[in-house]
Amino acid sequence: MGSRPTASPQSLVEHCCWNLCTWQFTLVELETWDESQEDLVDRGDRPWDNPHRRPCHADQRRQIVGKIVRNQLLKDLSPDQGHQKIRDNFDILLSLAV
């Protein structure tokens, strides 16, 4: 009887990383599928970039991360209680971080 070849730990790690990256890419595409190009792309901080270029995967990820962080951190601040300045400053900091 012949021995069955086994996968090396390195090849298993590479396979798992490839699967993880593929799923992440797919989920980002699904989340932003119905978003308009104007909602996904804000290249104000990159004047060298073509503003008419279609959204790249990084633009889509930035939009998702910004939405998640904004929803989590600002959910307790209602705009009608005078927290608008905090929200505005938070949006500035978020644009720098994301």
Side-chain angles (χ1 to χ4, degrees):
M1 300 220 158
S3 65
R4 203 169 75 190
T6 59
S8 70
Q10 179 68 26
S11 67
L12 289 174
V13 169
E14 290 171 356
H15 180 75
C16 290
C17 288
W18 182 84
N19 274 314
L20 184 63
C21 289
T22 304
W23 274 109
Q24 179 205 18
F25 189 88
T26 303
L27 292 173
V28 167
E29 291 294 324
L30 284 172
E31 177 66 26
T32 59
W33 188 261
D34 293 329
E35 300 288 330
S36 69
Q37 181 172 345
E38 293 80 24
D39 291 339
L40 292 175
V41 179
D42 179 18
R43 296 197 175 104
D45 60 337
R46 296 168 283 178
W48 61 87
D49 204 349
N50 181 0
H52 304 294
R53 184 172 57 88
R54 68 182 180 86
C56 64
H57 191 74
D59 291 327
Q60 294 170 331
R61 277 195 329 264
R62 275 188 215 102
Q63 193 260 354
I64 292 172
V65 169
K67 187 188 317 181
I68 291 171
V69 171
R70 187 175 289 109
N71 288 343
Q72 286 297 315
L73 296 177
L74 295 180
K75 66 182 176 184
D76 295 331
L77 295 177
S78 62
D80 58 335
Q81 294 179 351
H83 294 123
Q84 191 59 41
K85 187 172 182 178
I86 295 172
R87 289 176 167 272
D88 293 341
N89 288 333
F90 179 78
D91 283 336
I92 292 169
L93 289 173
L94 186 62
S95 68
L96 294 173
V98 177

